[in-house]
Amino acid sequence: MTTFTKLSDEETPTISVHASRRLSKINPNIYSGFTEHMGRCIYGGIYDPGNPLSDENGFRKDVLEALKELNIPVVRYPGGNFTATYHWLDGVGPKDQRPARPELAWLGTETNQFGTDEFLKWCEMLGAEPYLCLNFGTGTLDEAMAWVEYCNGTGNTYYANLRRKNGREKPYNVKYWALGNETWGPWQIEQMTKEAYAHKAYQWAKALKLLDPNIILILCGQDGTASWDYYTLKHCLQPTKATLNSNPVPLIDMHSIHMYTASSKHLPNATAPLAAERAIEITSSLIDLARIENGISPDEPRPTICFDEWNVWDPVRAEGSKGAEESYTLSDALAVGVFLNVFVRKSKDLGMACIAQSVNVISPLMTTRDGIVKQTTWWPLWLFSRFMRGWTIGAHVSCGAYEGETSPAWLRGVKDTPWLDVSAALGDDGFVNVVVVNIHETKDFKTNVKGVSGGPVTVYTVTGADVSATNMKGKQEVGVQESTWDGKGSYVFPKHSLTLLRWKAE
């Protein structure tokens, strides 16, 4: 974690890094992705048969190669809101026999030319584990169990044999399964009350864990700050002795929360992801409260938080039914940097985080017919996924703070919003990595950096001419610049920038 002391803007900031103070392990799954049948994410994004840039499977080779740079550990699929009317059997078997269906989440037609086997093969080529989301709208428990059997079954059973018939002999061993998506939302097919959802999720979890006790089940939360989160955790986190299994295992392994942030004004935009930090803290407390109230033994594993949708997204600016293609700015890149700082600082509670989405739809990576574009938000994600691994370590920041309006408005009353947003990690390679996001639009900060073991310090900087700089104008206005610093005295963090400092620990 990073602690903070507020100074006046006239005082010199200080960042103190404590490499020997390991606080919690960073789960690599915080750098996970998300693909949904929405806009051009699947069709024209990861799957584009007939394009010269695609392989024999129809997979865009340039997209695969770019995403491999991020070392993505897990990819969530097939949604998202899409899951609420998705029947997985439509998307397996011979493609000329797959039915086209009306798609109600984003008001299109789903051809089902890309389905379970295509996605799982794509994940293997990417080197990522799949994470499948179950249909809690029009789906049934029988259908959900059949999907698990199709993916993971090893016996001489119907759906395991159907997988074999479709060309896959060995099981996929899909580990992660979500118990629905945003079922609390009025935009959902079969929107539920928290009482109805909790009852259904618990019953489904019992059956699914009986079928395959090795799977990891993710409960559908809201944003971590809602009564929905409290009620579903209280009802569904039960002692293992309450289950049907003679060798009981916990039914719920993770609790999901979602949050998108955006503002047309730079400072509310850049500080908005700090709401995710408070949401994680609240959710963590609700998990503890449920365990205490339900008398769960401390010997039983504590669920972690699955922040499986996050990003900068203004649904008015980039409407979902029109493809949700955002044109990101430097301001948005700094917001993504703050999101990622939050995830590193709160690594004790996070088991996974999935940026929504991986290609084209509110994404750092865009495709054209002839190639790809790496948006401004690509570069913070690239730096974090490359370097911010290992252990979260202690850091303290003393600096001035932004004191204006925030988005959401409630953030102003619950979190400090310092000009310098910081996280620190110690990699397994023995290097300290510190990310500093200077959100100030006009002011550089000469800062005392303590804890550096001596030079040289490698410096990676993401910035641009101004906060409106974008990479969607046919040229790269925002990228990564590499330099060195001797590690002595103070360092100047430029206005509207993200800086990663990297040095060998003593």
Side-chain angles (χ1 to χ4, degrees):
M1 63 181 296
T2 301
T3 52
F4 172 64
T5 298
K6 184 179 177 181
L7 304 179
S8 70
D9 283 356
E10 288 70 38
E11 295 178 89
T12 301
T14 299
I15 298 173
S16 301
V17 182
H18 306 280
S20 62
R21 200 171 152 222
R22 298 185 183 188
L23 300 176
S24 51
K25 194 71 176 173
I26 299 170
N27 194 317
N29 287 355
I30 68 171
Y31 301 119
S32 295
F34 174 34
T35 58
E36 180 172 0
H37 287 253
M38 176 183 182
R40 296 193 306 122
C41 182
I42 301 296
Y43 303 110
I46 69 176
Y47 182 69
D48 195 6
N51 189 303
L53 299 175
S54 298
D55 65 13
E56 67 277 8
N57 302 297
F59 303 154
R60 283 283 293 258
K61 293 181 288 186
D62 53 349
V63 171
L64 272 170
E65 290 307 308
L67 293 178
K68 284 178 182 178
E69 295 180 36
L70 302 180
N71 195 18
I72 297 171
V74 177
V75 180
R76 182 173 179 246
Y77 173 86
N81 296 342
F82 176 82
T83 61
T85 58
Y86 180 62
H87 299 285
W88 69 271
L89 277 167
D90 289 343
V92 299
K95 292 190 178 184
D96 61 358
Q97 297 177 25
R98 298 184 189 182
R101 305 281 192 192
E103 198 289 296
L104 301 185
W106 310 113
L107 304 179
T109 298
E110 174 52 50
T111 66
N112 285 302
Q113 294 300 291
F114 185 97
T116 300
D117 291 294
E118 288 80 19
F119 173 69
L120 297 179
K121 184 172 185 176
W122 183 81
C123 282
E124 288 181 339
M125 294 180 69
L126 180 62
E129 286 197 76
Y131 165 20
L132 298 180
C133 188
L134 297 168
N135 179 349
F136 255 55
T138 60
T140 66
L141 177 54
D142 279 343
E143 186 179 14
M145 291 192 296
W147 204 8
V148 173
E149 182 190 336
Y150 184 90
C151 293
N152 297 354
T154 59
N156 183 24
T157 58
Y158 180 83
Y159 288 105
N161 286 335
L162 179 62
R163 181 193 71 237
R164 297 181 181 106
K165 180 181 177 182
N166 289 336
R168 172 78 179 201
E169 175 61 34
K170 64 180 181 179
Y172 290 108
N173 295 320
V174 176
K175 182 190 302 183
Y176 301 102
W177 297 83
L179 296 165
N181 170 78
E182 294 183 4
T183 55
W184 44 269
W187 50 87
Q188 288 295 310
I189 304 297
E190 195 72 14
Q191 179 191 7
M192 298 180 189
T193 64
K194 58 184 181 292
E195 294 83 3
Y197 172 77
H199 175 78
K200 183 175 180 178
Y202 188 71
Q203 300 306 317
W204 280 38
K206 286 194 294 184
L208 293 165
K209 283 287 180 102
L210 283 169
L211 179 64
D212 187 346
N214 297 312
I215 61 176
I216 290 175
L217 290 180
I218 294 102
L219 193 66
C220 173
Q222 190 167 333
D223 65 1
T225 69
S227 59
W228 175 283
D229 296 283
Y230 168 71
Y231 186 90
T232 55
L233 283 165
K234 174 68 166 62
H235 185 86
C236 295
L237 290 191
Q238 298 291 339
T240 56
K241 63 185 180 182
T243 68
L244 299 174
N245 202 331
S246 60
N247 182 25
V249 295
L251 296 186
I252 302 302
D253 302 284
M254 305 177 80
H255 181 77
S256 79
I257 58 176
H258 294 175
M259 185 174 291
Y260 296 99
T261 64
S263 175
S264 59
K265 300 176 182 178
H266 166 62
L267 289 171
N269 189 53
T271 56
L274 294 173
E277 189 159 25
R278 191 69 184 111
I280 292 168
E281 293 163 353
I282 294 170
T283 305
S284 179
S285 295
L286 292 177
I287 290 170
D288 287 343
L289 181 59
R291 286 169 60 86
I292 292 167
E293 290 187 339
N294 292 340
I296 297 176
S297 169
D299 296 330
E300 294 191 18
R302 181 179 183 271
T304 55
I305 296 167
C306 184
F307 213 125
D308 54 12
E309 288 189 33
W310 70 270
N311 206 343
V312 177
W313 181 25
D314 182 343
V316 175
R317 183 174 66 199
E319 188 176 339
S321 62
K322 296 180 179 178
E325 296 194 12
E326 284 273 22
S327 180
Y328 286 121
T329 64
L330 175 60
S331 177
D332 299 324
L334 300 184
V336 165
V338 174
F339 257 121
L340 293 166
N341 270 347
V342 166
F343 296 155
V344 171
R345 291 197 292 261
K346 308 311 292 185
S347 63
K348 176 178 178 292
D349 295 307
L350 282 181
M352 190 188 300
C354 305
I355 189 169
Q357 295 181 16
S358 295
V359 188
N360 287 332
V361 176
I362 51 173
S363 176
L365 186 68
M366 305 295 290
T367 65
T368 67
R369 183 71 184 168
D370 303 317
I372 56 175
V373 176
K374 294 175 178 177
Q375 292 221 62
T376 62
T377 55
W378 172 271
W379 300 107
L381 192 61
W382 182 81
L383 281 174
F384 271 83
S385 63
R386 184 177 177 187
F387 295 119
M388 298 300 283
R389 297 175 181 267
W391 290 82
T392 298
I393 57 176
H396 185 80
V397 180
S398 300
C399 68
Y402 166 64
E403 296 181 338
E405 65 175 296
T406 59
S407 177
W410 59 259
L411 177 61
R412 172 51 59 222
V414 299
K415 291 289 293 182
D416 292 313
T417 50
W419 292 121
L420 301 179
D421 189 84
V422 177
S423 71
L426 177 66
D428 294 334
D429 58 2
F431 276 81
V432 175
N433 300 281
V434 178
V435 172
V436 181
V437 181
N438 178 1
I439 65 170
H440 206 294
E441 196 167 354
T442 60
K443 187 174 181 179
D444 302 341
F445 285 103
K446 185 177 181 180
T447 304
N448 297 321
V449 182
K450 298 181 178 180
V452 181
S453 57
V457 176
T458 304
V459 181
Y460 299 90
T461 306
V462 178
T463 190
D466 54 57
V467 295
S468 64
T470 179
N471 290 350
M472 292 296 287
K473 294 179 179 178
K475 61 180 179 178
Q476 184 173 297
E477 296 181 355
V478 176
V480 175
Q481 299 172 341
E482 184 175 348
S483 58
T484 58
W485 171 48
D486 63 12
K488 299 176 182 178
S490 57
Y491 185 85
V492 177
F493 295 101
K495 61 186 178 183
H496 52 68
S497 69
L498 181 151
T499 304
L500 189 149
L501 304 177
R502 174 174 168 81
W503 68 86
K504 185 73 172 178
E506 292 181 333

